Amino acid sequence: RRLEGLVEAHGAKRIVAIAHQDCAWYRARRIGPITIDLRDRQLADLRRSARRLREMFDNVAVETYFARLSTTQPAKVVFDLIQ
């Protein structure tokens, strides 16, 4: 409900949802079995959230990204577009 109010009040035309590498929330809650790949779980949750946002806001563009550190030195934050 809060998001609906924000989108309406600000006339938002775009929502950008970002999941990120080494998310403490997922680690602390031990989502799924110990052997689960948290990145895969995060991506599944991100895609599910994006579907719900698109259902809620048919006139708003929804983009999803996964933020991670590059393997180069110095490390940089990379935003991978998630389809």
Side-chain angles (χ1 to χ4, degrees):
R1 305 230 183 264
R2 291 182 206 170
L3 191 54
E4 292 166 332
L6 287 171
V7 168
E8 184 177 320
H10 296 284
K13 300 293 179 207
R14 177 179 176 215
I15 296 173
V16 178
I18 303 171
H20 63 88
Q21 180 180 28
D22 295 328
C23 179
W25 188 89
Y26 278 86
R27 283 195 324 257
R29 281 149 188 82
R30 300 184 191 272
I31 304 296
I34 302 253
T35 58
I36 192 171
D37 181 347
L38 289 183
R39 182 180 184 277
D40 286 345
R41 174 60 189 260
Q42 286 177 270
L43 294 179
D45 289 349
L46 187 61
R47 288 182 179 111
R48 187 173 28 261
S49 297
R51 279 192 303 273
R52 178 70 180 119
L53 288 168
R54 289 181 183 109
E55 291 170 1
M56 292 172 63
F57 307 109
D58 56 349
N59 293 328
V60 176
V62 177
E63 299 173 26
T64 54
Y65 295 88
F66 186 81
R68 61 178 174 82
L69 291 177
S70 68
T71 56
T72 61
Q73 293 300 321
K76 297 178 182 175
V77 177
V78 177
F79 291 88
D80 296 320
L81 178 64
I82 305 301
Q83 300 289 338

